[in-house]
């Protein structure tokens, strides 16, 4: 739970003037333990488009949240592609930094046309229900398949009814939510009426559905009477559902959420004195944000919770009796018409001509480090239209039921009444009050990893090499070999932690011993400290069905356009043998990345590092030495020089200092002049090359190119070589298509995604600008921009069509 939410937390209130000591607090204690020890993660994936054809690349940007903030729990994300029969087709592992990551799948050309499923989860999430894994259907077309996809409009739909707070009591006016369900498509337009079952054709109350998910009505029931609701869609299909029996006693919790307050009213009838006093608890993201003691229950009582004491999100109100039995529960959304979303200061220079160059500029904002941006042809749908990052953050990430187009509840023209009815029909299943009060908490068997970690065992002459020094020699492009030494424990074991590398890492090893027989018999065995976890639950139903393809029939326009674009990409790849090299020449940041790859060995890389390039950027001007240059450039880094000795701390902990990946004393850093420096990195937290402490490091690389700590290639010929698997490499997206080829080289440009950048770093000195090229037909542009405030994680969200 963020400090930000705690600052806005509502105070404990008392609904009775009389002082009363409520002796039961098992619920609060149990909830506090759950919140502190079992934080919950949820995931949203942004895709570059909403459908694909075989042979294409599928790009995704991942956002992992803990509650309503980006998660810092997990550093690895596992993403899997399944077919309809739950066969695993492909899988990827991507690194996460502040809850964000990205990757891609190459969709094999021989995949059958069908609905596939993308699953995403973290290791920490495997300790909880699979219902909260990210699971999204993806349509993949293949005109060569014998069967084709089409929308399943013939599937039967049904409905369920849900009384507000779960109770239906004699004489108490009660609001009901009507929830639609189907294996295919639910009707978007429908209506109905409520009647007594003895007079089914005589309406008491009429209703009209809000959308394809839900509708609502209100009724004041009488005990002894039975009621039903009859629904009908535009096609004339009717469904009748019985309402629950009317109870002669009980409590009904009624809630109204506005921009200023969450007002609740407690209506009761024939309540026993033995069940009093009552208490009501309010929770957001499994954290207690409101508590009220009700000393004496009257027939009707009400109270109001100031909305400015809360945050946007799902508030669960639970009413307990004196024995802490749950009496009534209600979910609502806080400030549904006042969403705390920031917008970018965006200016555009657009040209709708065929293949014209366009640009977008985001104004300077110190609170944002970067953005995720996708620009598409608005004639093709975006994945954000179905389920947006906002709907994942505030709704679907915490509920496992099927919700059609959940993004609609967080758009400009949303119906807050529809969202409220939807939440009446839902239950909060992140925890169960009765279970946690009995002490039944999740069993934690999988702890989150620290990026890529491997456990190693060294064996020599058939025995563990106890307390031995093992030399690891890494092959580095352009800079020769890098040397690193590790020490085994009494069992011959060691661990490589916090590694960040793509594809495979190749290295050689040698035991540090003068005994040749010991050296020659050495074997090193590695076991990864991370793993994919098989999906156990069944895949959800799809809204699409397969039918036989008729030979010679016309394929859908959107599929034809994707196929034409695939042919264009093949042409471009044949013309441009190395697009990535073109990008590097045009992008200063990629030059810095290349320098980092050349100078840094895998043991000295981290996803949480800040890189200063002295080769390709104008760094170091005016500074006498490295100490002077570093002062004030890294948030949280404190450098103190006294009597020729330099110490560095970060968040109160001592920071290590390395020169060309060899640890040095603080007194040596002031001797390094700026012209000698090629690159400086500041790593936060633990990394594999650390000698211990986990407080981070300053790494200085000289223009000698890594001479210190290197070994000669000739020695490696006698060493044993191994490969370790790293993160899956993401295919680069070509945003500057006509920088690589002539504008008229393509016969047809039918791209649906015109720009894709999951990590657009802001420009610190001036506004951030992107450039993209139009296709042959777009006259408008769909622009999606996502970012998060670095201070309080407030989302920045922009999803508009620009002309």
């Amino acid at each position: 739970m963020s400090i930000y939410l705690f600052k806005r937390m509502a105070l404990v209130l008392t609904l009775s003037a009389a002082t009363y000591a409520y002796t039961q607090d098992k619920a609060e204690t149990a909830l506090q333990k759950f919140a502190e020890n079992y934080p919950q993660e949820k995931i949203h994936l942004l895709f570059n488009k909403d459908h694909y054809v075989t042979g294409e690349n599928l790009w995704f940007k991942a956002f992992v949240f803990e509650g309503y903030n980006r998660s810092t729990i997990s550093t690895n994300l596992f993403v899997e592609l399944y077919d309809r029969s739950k066969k695993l087709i492909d899988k990827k592992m991507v690194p996460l930094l502040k809850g964000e990551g990205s990757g891609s799948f190459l969709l094999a050309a021989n995949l059958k046309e069908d609905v596939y499923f993308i699953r995403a989860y973290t290791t920490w999430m495997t300790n909880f229900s699979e219902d909260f894994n990210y699971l999204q259907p993806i349509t993949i077309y293949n005109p060569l398949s014998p069967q084709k996809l089409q929308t399943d409009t013939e599937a039967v739909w049904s409905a369920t009814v849900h009384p507000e707070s779960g109770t239906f009591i004699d004489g108490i006016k009660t609001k009901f939510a009507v929830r639609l369900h189907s294996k295919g498509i639910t009707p978007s337009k429908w209506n109905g009426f409520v009647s007594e079952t003895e007079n089914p054709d005589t309406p008491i109350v009429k209703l009209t559905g809000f959308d394809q998910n839900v509708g609502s009505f209100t009724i004041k029931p009488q005990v002894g009477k039975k009621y039903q609701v009859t629904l009908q869609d535009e096609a004339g299909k009717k469904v009748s559902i019985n309402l629950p029996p009317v109870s002669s006693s009980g409590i009904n919790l009624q809630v109204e959420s506005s921009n200023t307050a969450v007002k609740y009213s407690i209506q009761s009838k024939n309540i026993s004195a033995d069940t009093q006093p009552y208490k009501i608890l309010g929770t957001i993201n499994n954290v207690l944000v409101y508590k009220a003691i009700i000393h004496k229950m009257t027939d009707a009582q009400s109270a109001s919770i100031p909305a400015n004491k809360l945050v946007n999100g799902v508030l669960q109100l639970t009413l307990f009796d004196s024995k802490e039995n749950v009496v009534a529960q209600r979910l609502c959304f806080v400030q549904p018409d006042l969403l705390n979303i920031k917008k970018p200061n965006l200016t555009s220079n657009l040209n709708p001509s065929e293949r014209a160059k366009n640009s977008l500029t985001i104004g300077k904002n110190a609170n944002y480090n970067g953005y995720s941006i996708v620009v598409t042809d608005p004639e093709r749908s975006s994945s954000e239209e179905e389920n947006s990052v906002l709907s994942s953050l505030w709704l679907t990430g915490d509920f496992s039921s099927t919700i059609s187009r959940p993004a609609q509840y967080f758009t400009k023209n949303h119906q807050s009444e529809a969202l409220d009815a939807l939440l009446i029909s839902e239950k909060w299943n992140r925890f169960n009050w009765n279970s946690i009060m009995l002490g039944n908490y999740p069993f934690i068997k999988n702890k989150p990893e620290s990026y890529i970690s491997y456990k190693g065992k060294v064996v020599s002459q058939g025995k563990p090499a106890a307390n031995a020094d093992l030399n690891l020699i890494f092959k580095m492009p352009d800079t020769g070999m890098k040397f690193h030494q590790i020490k085994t424990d009494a069992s011959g074991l060691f661990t490589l932690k916090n590694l960040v590398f793509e594809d495979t890492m190749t290295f050689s090893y040698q035991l540090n011993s003068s005994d040749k027989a010991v050296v020659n018999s050495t074997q090193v065995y590695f076991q990864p400290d991370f793993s994919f976890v098989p999906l156990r639950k069944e895949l959800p139903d799809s809204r699409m069905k397969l039918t036989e393809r008729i030979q010679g029939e016309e394929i859908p326009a959107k599929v034809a356009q994707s196929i034409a674009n695939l042919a264009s990409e093949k042409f471009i790849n044949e013309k441009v043998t190395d697009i990535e090299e073109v990008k590097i020449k045009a992008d200063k940041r990629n030059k810095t990345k290349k320098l980092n790859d050349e100078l840094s060995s895998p043991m000295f890389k981290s996803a949480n590092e800040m890189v200063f390039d002295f080769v390709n950027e104008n760094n170091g001007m005016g500074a006498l030495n490295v100490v002077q240059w570093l002062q004030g450039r890294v948030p949280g880094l404190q450098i103190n020089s006294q009597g020729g000795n330099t110490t560095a701390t970060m968040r109160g902990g001592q920071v290590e200092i390395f020169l060309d990946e060899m640890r040095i004393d603080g007194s040596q850093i002031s001797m390094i002049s700026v012209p000698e420096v090629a690159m400086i990195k500041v790593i936060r937290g633990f990394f594999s090359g650390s000698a211990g402490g986990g407080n981070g490091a300053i790494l200085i690389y000289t223009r000698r190119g890594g001479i210190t700590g290197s070994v000669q290639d000739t020695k490696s010929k006698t060493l044993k070589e191994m490969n370790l698997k790293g993160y899956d490499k993401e295919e680069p997206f070509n945003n500057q298509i006509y920088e690589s080829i002539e504008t008229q080289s393509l016969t047809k440009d039918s791209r649906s995604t015109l720009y894709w950048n999951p990590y657009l770093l802001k420009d610190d000195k001036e506004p951030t600008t992107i450039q993209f090229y139009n296709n042959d037909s777009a006259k408008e542009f769909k622009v999606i921009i996502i970012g998060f405030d670095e201070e309080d994680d407030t989302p920045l969200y922009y999803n508009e069509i620009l002309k």
Side-chain angles (χ1 to χ4, degrees):
M1 187 72 174
S2 70
I3 296 174
Y4 179 64
L5 182 51
F6 274 123
K7 286 180 179 178
R8 301 185 66 183
M9 198 168 100
L11 301 176
V12 175
L13 301 182
T14 303
L15 296 187
S16 172
T19 57
Y20 186 87
Y22 194 94
T23 57
Q24 301 287 345
D25 62 355
K26 287 174 59 180
E28 296 93 312
T29 302
L31 180 67
Q32 182 178 359
K33 181 177 179 180
F34 183 84
E36 291 176 352
N37 298 300
Y38 307 96
Q40 307 286 294
E41 289 184 315
K42 54 191 171 188
I43 296 170
H44 177 75
L45 295 188
L46 168 70
F47 297 97
N48 66 303
K49 54 195 290 191
D50 74 331
H51 70 276
Y52 298 87
V53 297
T54 54
E56 280 190 307
N57 280 298
L58 178 157
W59 280 276
F60 62 87
K61 171 63 185 284
F63 301 92
V64 181
F65 302 102
E66 189 268 298
Y68 300 129
N69 300 86
R70 288 175 298 169
S71 177
T72 57
I73 298 171
S74 298
T75 56
N76 295 330
L77 180 70
F78 303 92
V79 187
E80 300 166 344
L81 177 65
Y82 290 89
D83 68 11
R84 192 189 292 255
S85 63
K86 215 170 80 169
K87 177 184 176 184
L88 181 62
I89 304 299
D90 202 355
K91 59 184 180 181
K92 304 290 181 180
M93 184 174 73
V94 299
L96 296 171
L97 180 59
K98 290 186 178 179
E100 298 185 38
S102 64
S104 62
F105 285 97
L106 175 60
L107 304 174
N110 61 353
L111 289 177
K112 294 180 180 180
E113 181 167 319
D114 205 347
V115 174
Y116 292 76
F117 293 86
I118 296 282
R119 177 197 181 204
Y121 58 95
T122 65
T123 296
W124 179 248
M125 291 172 69
T126 62
N127 295 300
F128 310 101
S129 171
E130 280 189 330
D131 290 340
F132 298 108
N133 285 187
Y134 178 89
L135 200 56
Q136 177 68 31
I138 297 290
T139 52
I140 300 178
Y141 295 94
N142 184 349
L144 300 179
S145 291
Q147 292 182 308
K148 65 177 183 179
L149 283 170
Q150 67 179 41
T151 303
D152 187 0
T153 58
E154 299 176 356
V156 175
W157 61 271
S158 61
T160 52
V161 291
H162 307 267
E164 185 172 19
S165 78
T167 58
F168 193 34
I169 303 160
D170 177 45
I172 297 179
K173 199 172 183 179
T174 304
K175 184 178 181 179
F176 272 80
V178 181
R179 184 74 175 270
L180 301 188
H181 310 274
S182 176
K183 291 185 177 181
I185 301 294
T186 52
S188 58
K189 294 184 178 180
W190 53 282
N191 55 53
F193 62 89
V194 180
S195 63
E196 295 181 19
T197 54
E198 293 182 354
N199 300 294
D201 298 325
T202 304
I204 300 174
V205 178
K206 293 184 179 180
L207 72 143
T208 300
F210 295 123
D211 51 40
Q212 62 273 63
N213 291 311
V214 72
S216 71
F217 64 87
T218 302
I219 183 174
K220 188 175 182 179
Q222 294 181 28
V223 69
K225 290 188 176 183
K226 297 180 180 180
Y227 301 90
Q228 68 178 36
V229 60
T230 302
L231 309 175
Q232 181 174 315
D233 64 14
E234 282 190 309
K237 181 195 170 180
K238 290 186 177 182
V239 171
S240 293
I241 311 105
N242 291 327
L243 272 59
V246 181
S247 176
S248 60
S249 64
I251 295 177
N252 185 250
L253 177 62
Q254 302 174 3
V255 177
E256 180 185 346
S257 181
S258 68
N259 291 339
T260 57
V262 176
K263 300 177 182 178
Y264 66 87
S265 174
I266 302 172
Q267 308 287 326
S268 63
K269 186 172 183 178
N270 299 330
I271 298 300
S272 170
D274 295 339
T275 61
Q276 300 187 50
Y278 290 83
K279 69 177 173 184
I280 186 166
L281 302 182
T283 62
I284 294 180
N285 183 33
N286 309 323
V287 173
L288 184 67
V289 296
Y290 176 80
K291 177 179 177 179
I293 308 301
I294 306 168
H295 174 52
K296 185 176 181 180
M297 183 71 73
T298 60
D299 289 344
Q301 289 180 280
S302 62
S304 181
I305 308 172
N308 62 4
K309 295 292 185 180
L310 305 172
V311 296
N312 287 136
V314 176
L315 169 68
Q316 178 181 217
L317 291 173
T318 306
L319 184 67
F320 297 85
D321 65 16
S322 59
K323 296 181 179 179
E324 291 199 285
N325 297 310
V326 174
V327 176
Q329 286 182 292
R330 173 71 150 88
L331 300 177
C332 69
F333 194 85
V334 177
Q335 295 185 308
D337 297 317
L338 194 63
L339 300 178
N340 186 21
I341 305 170
K342 296 184 180 180
K343 299 289 184 182
N345 180 15
L346 190 66
T347 58
S348 60
N349 183 10
L350 303 179
N351 185 347
S353 302
E354 294 182 7
R355 309 183 188 189
K357 195 172 189 177
N358 297 269
S359 66
L360 298 172
T361 299
I362 303 173
K364 292 175 64 176
N365 191 329
N367 288 350
Y368 291 85
N369 287 338
Y371 309 93
S372 303
I373 301 184
V374 56
V375 180
T376 64
D377 184 337
E379 293 297 318
R380 319 332 160 46
S381 296
S382 160
S383 65
E384 286 291 288
E385 310 311 312
E386 173 71 26
N387 188 23
S388 67
V389 66
L390 300 180
S391 54
S392 288
L393 176 65
W394 285 325
L395 184 63
T396 57
D398 290 311
F399 298 99
S400 58
S401 62
T402 300
I403 302 174
S404 180
R405 297 183 67 83
Q408 66 185 309
Y409 299 113
F410 304 99
T411 59
K412 277 195 241 178
N413 302 318
H414 70 274
Q415 291 189 74
S416 56
E417 195 176 358
L419 176 58
D420 190 60
L422 183 75
L423 289 174
I424 289 177
S425 71
E426 287 285 355
K427 287 186 176 180
W428 189 261
N429 291 320
R430 286 292 190 177
F431 68 88
N432 177 277
W433 281 112
N434 292 329
S435 292
I436 63 173
M437 282 192 289
L438 289 172
N440 297 325
Y441 294 96
F443 175 68
I444 302 301
K445 58 180 182 293
N446 298 318
K447 294 185 177 180
E449 317 92 345
S450 181
Y451 293 102
I452 294 178
S453 298
Y454 279 90
K455 294 178 180 177
K457 183 173 184 178
V458 183
V459 177
S460 182
Q461 294 183 323
K463 297 181 297 183
N467 303 313
D469 292 323
L470 184 71
N471 300 323
L472 301 180
I473 301 93
F474 299 94
K475 291 184 177 180
M476 301 296 296
D478 304 323
T479 57
M481 313 292 286
K482 289 280 183 145
F483 170 86
H484 188 74
Q485 189 176 87
I486 58 176
K487 194 171 190 69
T488 65
D489 63 14
S491 300
L493 303 175
F494 65 93
T495 303
L496 298 179
K497 291 183 178 180
N498 237 47
L499 298 171
V500 180
F501 64 96
E502 291 182 330
D503 286 342
T504 56
M505 178 173 68
T506 301
F507 65 93
S508 301
Y509 65 86
Q510 185 182 60
L511 199 65
N512 193 3
S513 173
S514 58
D515 190 333
K516 289 187 177 180
V518 171
V519 172
N520 293 335
S521 66
T522 301
Q523 294 289 333
V524 179
Y525 303 93
F526 282 97
Q527 177 68 38
D529 220 8
F530 56 88
S531 63
F532 289 82
V533 177
L535 177 65
R536 298 185 300 272
K537 64 180 285 187
E538 293 302 314
L539 293 170
D541 295 317
S542 167
R543 299 174 192 169
M544 309 284 284
K545 66 178 181 179
L546 287 170
T547 60
E548 294 301 317
R549 192 184 300 276
I550 301 173
Q551 188 173 5
E553 70 177 332
E554 187 176 355
I555 62 175
K558 66 179 183 180
V559 179
Q561 290 165 345
S562 295
I563 293 172
N565 182 56
L566 193 60
S568 298
E569 288 181 355
K570 183 178 180 182
F571 170 81
I572 294 169
N573 290 335
E574 290 174 351
K575 291 289 183 181
V576 183
T577 57
D578 194 358
I579 293 175
E580 192 64 24
E581 183 61 29
V582 175
K583 289 176 66 181
I584 289 173
K585 290 178 181 178
D587 189 345
K588 189 184 294 183
R589 289 191 178 93
N590 278 340
K591 288 182 179 180
T592 299
K593 181 179 183 301
K594 184 180 179 183
L595 181 69
N596 190 15
D597 290 340
E598 291 174 350
L599 296 181
S600 304
S601 69
M603 307 290 285
F604 287 83
K605 282 189 175 182
S606 170
N608 197 4
E609 63 184 20
M610 185 178 289
V611 180
F612 300 99
D613 184 346
F614 287 69
V615 175
N616 301 297
E617 297 183 8
N618 193 24
N619 281 319
M621 294 292 292
L624 296 176
N625 56 45
V626 169
V627 173
Q628 187 185 66
W629 187 87
L630 273 172
Q631 292 285 3
R633 294 185 182 271
V634 180
L637 179 65
Q638 300 292 327
I639 300 178
N640 298 305
S641 294
Q642 191 172 16
N645 187 39
T646 299
T647 58
T649 59
M650 193 176 298
R651 296 179 180 176
Q654 189 78 20
V655 172
E656 297 174 281
I657 303 172
F658 293 84
L659 178 64
D660 291 326
E661 299 189 354
M662 297 294 289
R663 189 171 182 180
I664 61 173
D665 186 83
S667 60
Q668 298 175 257
I669 189 173
S670 59
M671 306 292 292
I672 305 170
S673 64
V674 170
E676 294 180 77
V677 176
M679 182 179 75
I680 294 177
K681 289 201 306 185
V682 177
I683 295 179
R684 298 177 185 274
F686 182 80
F687 64 103
S688 289
S690 171
N695 295 315
I698 299 171
L699 291 92
I700 304 165
Y701 293 84
T702 65
R703 291 179 183 266
R704 295 191 296 272
I707 294 173
T708 304
S710 67
V711 297
Q712 299 298 318
D713 286 2
T714 53
K715 289 186 179 181
S716 67
K717 296 177 182 178
T718 63
L719 303 179
K720 298 177 181 179
E721 191 172 276
M722 289 192 71
N723 293 321
L724 294 181
K725 175 74 171 66
Y727 291 111
D728 291 283
K729 192 171 185 178
E730 181 179 357
E731 188 69 21
F733 189 96
N734 185 13
N735 286 313
Q736 302 298 323
I737 178 174
Y738 294 118
E739 299 289 333
S740 308
I741 60 172
E742 294 293 329
T743 307
Q744 301 305 317
S745 297
L746 294 180
T747 304
K748 184 178 182 181
D749 186 345
S750 60
R751 290 171 297 129
S752 60
T753 306
L754 306 178
Y755 183 88
W756 169 264
N757 193 336
Y759 291 107
L760 176 67
L761 296 176
K762 74 170 183 182
D763 195 312
D764 291 326
K765 299 178 181 178
E766 56 190 38
T768 303
T769 299
I770 68 164
Q771 295 179 332
F772 64 92
Y773 288 91
N774 194 10
N775 59 19
D776 288 345
S777 59
K779 303 303 179 186
E780 304 171 328
F781 305 99
K782 166 76 80 171
V783 178
I784 298 172
I785 303 174
I786 301 172
F788 292 89
D789 190 303
E790 292 300 318
E791 291 185 358
D792 59 18
D793 254 3
T794 299
L796 177 146
Y797 191 73
Y798 185 88
N799 187 348
E800 303 285 347
I801 294 177
L802 298 181
K803 299 181 180 181

